[in-house]
Every structure is written in C-alpha cells, then in structure tokens.
Amino acid sequence: MADVVDARTRSRMMSGIRDKNTKPELAIRRGLHALGFRYRLHPKDIPGKPDLWLPRYKAAIFVNGCFWHGHDCSQFKLPGTRQEFWKTKIERNRARDARVEELLTARGLRRLDIWECALRGPGRIGLNETLFRTAEWLRGEDVRRIIRGTQ
C-alpha cells in the first residue's frame, strides 16, 4: 500500500514526534509530583536515561509508547508501508530495552515500565489507577513491574 503523503512530508511529520516530554510522560510526572514524589528527568548517568529517576527509591521509570517499542497490545500496528524498515527499527528498540534492563539489574536498580496503553485506548486502566500502582510499587520492595492496559 502506498503512503498517502510524499516522502518529504512523511519525514517532516515523523521528525515532529517527541521522544521526551510526551503527553503520557507529562501526566505521570504531574501526578507523581502531586503525590509527593520527587524525581530527576532523563538522567544521563542512569542506564537508558529513564523518563523519571527517583534516587530515594533507586527506581527508574520508563513511559513507553506502544508503537515505538512494539508492545503486544491494541495500540500497536505495523505500518503498511516500509515494513522492513519499521520491523528493524522496532527490533533495535526492543534490543536496547533488553540491554538497559541488564545494566539496571547489574547496578541493583529498580525498573518500572508504564505502557501507553495503560493511559490510552480501549483497554486503558486510566491515569488514577496507573498512579496508584506506581506509588504502590515505589513504596514496595519489588525490583521490576510493568503497568499496561487490559488488552
């Protein structure tokens, strides 16, 4: 299937997609701050430069876009055009995520992944439930947790 826009327009559109300060990330940040949690943003000294780093809890929080990380949910659909390019790109992202996981574990750090589908789409659990689960995890002892939608 051919793209509905020319290559130059598509390139401009894709370059406008943020990798930091996305709407889901901003919502999580505001909510955690309101609950009294303090964090650093995208620290370069922590593997993977997590979206939020909470030093007091030794916790890295990643707010992942379901498309960009190839999540198995209703929010992910491989584009009809340039499928090999997108498969390769998403696989590289998944491989990077796995390397970051190993590095965090080796340093004795905790990791939470919040998937976009927890906040958007038909299976969303919503912001309040996501914040509740995040706060519960931060105050607990679990090293690893994933928060996702129900589909």
Side-chain angles (χ1 to χ4, degrees):
M1 179 176 152
D3 200 345
V4 295
V5 296
D6 62 84
R8 187 176 189 162
T9 302
R10 176 64 61 204
S11 179
R12 182 182 49 77
M13 290 166 62
M14 295 306 286
S15 70
I17 297 173
R18 298 178 179 188
D19 64 338
K20 294 180 183 174
N21 303 319
T22 63
K23 286 182 183 180
E25 183 185 330
L26 292 173
I28 296 296
R29 284 169 26 187
R30 280 191 299 270
L32 288 178
H33 192 272
L35 292 172
F37 292 99
R38 300 301 177 253
Y39 47 80
R40 288 176 40 208
L41 301 177
H42 314 287
K44 293 180 178 146
D45 58 331
I46 304 299
K49 294 188 263 184
D51 297 312
L52 293 92
W53 167 244
L54 293 90
R56 177 179 177 186
Y57 302 93
K58 292 186 177 181
I61 298 178
F62 295 87
V63 183
N64 295 329
C66 295
F67 173 76
W68 298 104
H69 296 266
H71 192 224
D72 181 26
C73 72
S74 62
Q75 295 291 99
F76 174 72
K77 182 179 183 227
L78 194 64
T81 58
R82 301 183 63 205
Q83 287 194 336
E84 282 309 310
F85 167 81
W86 288 111
K87 284 179 189 175
T88 302
K89 175 151 186 62
I90 291 166
E91 282 306 313
R92 277 195 320 259
N93 290 347
R94 286 178 167 176
R96 185 186 64 237
D97 292 344
R99 282 192 309 276
V100 167
E101 175 93 27
E102 291 171 6
L103 292 170
L104 290 170
T105 301
R107 288 178 58 173
L109 304 177
R110 303 169 68 207
R111 177 182 180 146
L112 171 67
D113 282 307
I114 299 174
W115 287 95
E116 176 186 20
C117 60
L119 303 171
R120 294 181 178 171
R124 70 182 172 272
I125 60 173
L127 180 60
N128 288 337
E129 180 64 20
T130 300
L131 291 170
F132 173 79
R133 291 180 188 188
T134 301
E136 180 181 62
W137 175 78
L138 285 166
R139 294 180 182 122
E141 300 293 323
D142 291 343
V143 172
R144 181 80 166 96
R145 183 146 189 205
I146 298 169
I147 299 174
R148 61 176 288 159
T150 59
Q151 287 186 338

